[in-house]
Amino acid sequence: MAPYHIRQYQERDHKRVLELFSRGMKEHVPAAFYHMLTLPHSLLFLPGVPVTMVLVSGSWLLATVSSLLFLLCLWLLIWFSWRNYVATSLQADLADITKSYLDVHGSFWVAESGEQVVGMVGACPVKDPPLRRKQLQLFRLSVSSQHRGQGIAKALVRTVLQFARDQGYSDVVLETSIVQYSALALYQAMGFQKTGQYFVNIATRLMGLSILHFTYSLPFSWGRGI
């Protein structure tokens, strides 16, 4: 197991951070595709398409081709949706990490191993938190596939939690998709509680790709401002 250390983001890390994020997000395309196939309306269409084609045309070959085209359309729908999300993110907060995180009293960290950035996570204050709460939101947690299983993701989350404690936050919150299974398991194992669920738009509702909201409540400390 190669040693690693966590440090604050520097501008020279920018290219590697973008690569890490893009590759990490694209890994979820197969999981999103298989998740979509388990939805009730997909289970209805999967046998319905070939049966309908056989009844209409009498051709099993045409029915098979239609089924394959249906699956291809589902895959492309997922792939384009994921690609658009990545492109939007690269043009939003990840376009200027210093401005998006460090300049707004948040922070951004990278995990480095062998002089290479292999993990990352960011955190920003929540602009309109609930009454009497001071919340920090965790963003962009990602670890290179070659360096998983070493506790890097957990260490990055702990870094965010410690930053939140030091800065007097009452909660750390985050959002993740329903198909990011490893992240979901990690957050729940570390004590985050699911506090909400929603769909970004009609397309994500049809694909069954909901966003889950999690909250980690930090112990109250006397003398800490809230």
Side-chain angles (χ1 to χ4, degrees):
M1 181 183 297
Y4 67 87
H5 71 280
I6 296 173
R7 59 171 174 79
Q8 194 171 63
Y9 166 86
Q10 299 174 13
E11 288 298 335
R12 61 184 171 87
D13 303 319
H14 191 239
K15 181 179 179 181
R16 176 57 182 165
V17 163
L18 298 188
E19 292 174 352
L20 196 62
F21 169 75
S22 299
R23 291 177 183 175
M25 292 308 302
K26 288 175 182 177
E27 291 177 11
H28 299 301
V29 172
F33 176 70
Y34 293 127
H35 173 77
M36 190 173 180
L37 292 182
T38 65
L39 299 177
H41 51 271
S42 296
L43 294 175
L44 177 65
F45 276 106
L46 282 174
V49 169
V51 169
T52 300
M53 293 306 300
V54 169
L55 293 176
V56 171
S57 66
S59 170
W60 281 102
L61 177 60
L62 185 59
T64 301
V65 172
S66 299
S67 297
L68 292 175
L69 287 175
F70 175 70
L71 292 173
L72 177 61
C73 287
L74 290 183
W75 176 270
L76 291 175
L77 178 61
I78 294 289
W79 188 79
F80 278 114
S81 298
W82 230 258
R83 191 186 70 169
N84 288 339
Y85 171 74
V86 170
T88 300
S89 300
L90 296 181
Q91 295 172 7
D93 61 302
L94 293 178
D96 190 335
I97 292 173
T98 298
K99 180 180 179 180
S100 300
Y101 292 90
L102 280 68
D103 289 353
V104 297
H105 306 294
S107 193
F108 201 97
W109 300 268
V110 297
E112 194 172 53
S113 177
E115 299 184 354
Q116 182 181 27
V117 172
V118 299
M120 66 184 202
V121 70
C124 280
V126 174
K127 292 182 179 180
D128 297 305
L131 185 64
R132 298 185 62 81
R133 308 303 291 178
K134 182 181 178 183
Q135 296 184 327
L136 183 74
Q137 185 161 356
L138 182 153
F139 290 97
R140 310 304 187 193
L141 177 66
S142 184
V143 175
S144 168
S145 59
Q146 295 86 359
H147 293 82
R148 292 171 191 164
Q150 300 178 21
I152 296 176
K154 184 177 291 186
L156 286 166
V157 174
R158 284 175 175 163
T159 299
V160 174
L161 295 179
Q162 188 58 54
F163 177 82
R165 292 187 186 97
D166 294 342
Q167 298 297 317
Y169 286 94
S170 57
D171 310 291
V172 175
V173 299
L174 62 88
E175 293 183 344
T176 188
S177 76
I178 196 172
V179 297
Q180 292 177 253
Y181 304 121
S182 297
L184 291 172
L186 171 67
Y187 297 139
Q188 291 173 326
M190 295 188 71
F192 283 83
Q193 300 294 319
K194 179 184 171 184
T195 50
Q197 183 172 359
Y198 69 95
F199 294 95
V200 175
N201 49 44
I202 295 177
T204 56
R205 182 179 292 275
L206 291 175
M207 292 185 286
L209 299 178
S210 60
I211 301 297
L212 306 181
H213 186 278
F214 285 86
T215 300
Y216 184 102
S217 296
L218 295 163
F220 180 80
S221 175
W222 292 106
R224 182 184 72 182
I226 296 181

